[in-house]
Amino acid sequence: MQKLTLPAPAKLNLWLHITGRRADGYHELETVFQFLEHGDELGFALRDDGQICLRTEIDGVPHDSNLIVRAARMLQTQSGTKLGADIWLHKVLPMGGGIGGGSSDAATTLLALAHLWQLDWDEDRLAALGLSLGADVPVFVRGHAAFAQGVGEQLTPVDPAEPWYVVLVPQVSVSTAEIFSHPELTRDSLPLKMRPVPEGNSRNDCQPVVEQRYPEVRNALISLGKFTEARMTGTGSCVFGAFPSKAEADKVLALLSETQTGFVAKGSNVSMLHRKLQSLIKKSSS
């Protein structure tokens, strides 16, 4: 196989509790990740000269700083392969939106190049490598909805309902570092003792700080909150609400479209990246 095209799905944090702060400055948290049937798309072509070339320029992100390039080079170094790749990115997911765009792109890169370079790396090894790139990368590598603990890397598979979501995209980029360093951030939520994780009595501990600093996010929450429970994902800026059908979600987005930008997507407990990879592996083995 010389070429490969794969999706990089968005994620939602269905809720997010911050339970403490470690000595190294990282925060301990509990959250549930679920994927969306919506995301970026990446194309990969094999090179035999060892070069890693991202052919798509991203405004404000130097080539060598891009998580895609960093993921590819890290995998190349750790595996010792002499192969390289040309990579193209069709960018759909907003930066600073809390829906995992950069982390998902990095995870898709790791899985795609492990496949393209024919590396004998299992998911555990790829997820561990992904963690050094970002706390959200492992869940995208593993590809199943999960209850997450630690900094987000301790993952237990879960199967929440898979509704249709309206996701609003306020036109602001929220800095994760800014929110996690804010003095008013709640850092002492009690760890959950129930398993499976309860759906009720949950929230996003980052949301009050973001609402205070970004009126665009607060307005999106108010707008969507007229139709369903609205919540922010991650450290924002994106806001989501669940609906039982695509028709209802489409109707609400249409009503909000004069003042809000957004999209409708189905929730999924198995990421579309993993379903695509499985179908490719089946084809190549048959």
Side-chain angles (χ1 to χ4, degrees), residues 5-19:
T5 302
L6 290 171
K11 61 81 175 167
L12 295 177
N13 297 87
L14 300 187
W15 48 266
L16 174 61
H17 298 172
I18 301 171
T19 57

Side-chain angles (χ1 to χ4, degrees), residues 99-152:
I99 52 178
S103 297
S104 188
D105 292 342
T108 293
T109 299
L110 292 175
L111 288 161
L113 293 180
H115 192 70
L116 209 56
W117 292 341
Q118 298 184 330
L119 304 179
D120 189 22
W121 277 47
D122 63 16
E123 216 171 71
D124 289 345
R125 204 170 170 192
L126 288 169
L129 186 64
L131 181 59
S132 63
L133 293 160
D136 286 352
V137 178
V139 74
F140 288 109
V141 169
R142 296 192 180 279
H144 199 285
F147 170 60
Q149 297 166 284
V151 297

Side-chain angles (χ1 to χ4, degrees), residues 190-265:
L190 292 174
L192 293 172
K193 294 184 170 61
M194 295 273 294
R195 300 289 185 275
V197 178
E199 299 243 343
N201 192 27
S202 58
R203 68 205 163 270
N204 184 334
D205 283 338
C206 299
Q207 190 171 307
V209 171
V210 177
E211 281 192 72
Q212 176 193 324
R213 295 187 61 80
Y214 296 90
E216 299 91 340
V217 176
R218 185 173 64 248
N219 291 340
L221 285 159
I222 291 167
S223 296
L224 188 54
K226 291 171 184 171
F227 301 94
T228 186
E229 183 188 2
R231 188 171 291 172
M232 193 181 77
T233 176
T235 52
S237 60
C238 290
V239 166
F240 67 94
F243 295 87
S245 70
K246 183 176 188 298
E248 287 183 62
D250 284 338
K251 185 178 174 184
V252 168
L253 184 61
L255 290 168
L256 294 173
S257 61
E258 280 190 21
T259 57
Q260 300 288 341
T261 302
F263 60 88
V264 167

Side-chain angles (χ1 to χ4, degrees), residues 36-96:
L36 295 176
E37 298 287 291
H38 180 84
D40 296 341
E41 187 174 73
L42 288 94
F44 302 86
L46 203 59
R47 292 179 67 118
D48 57 14
D49 62 0
Q51 293 291 311
I52 301 292
C53 299
L54 179 59
R55 298 297 186 181
T56 310
E57 286 187 24
I58 308 294
D59 286 345
V61 183
H63 179 275
D64 290 0
S65 302
N66 193 297
L67 271 179
I68 294 167
V69 175
R70 289 171 56 204
R73 288 184 175 157
M74 197 175 282
L75 181 62
Q76 190 183 48
T77 301
Q78 296 284 329
S79 68
T81 184
K82 301 291 186 229
L83 297 170
D86 286 316
I87 307 171
W88 293 266
L89 171 65
H90 175 54
K91 191 72 186 154
V92 171
L93 303 178
M95 295 170 72

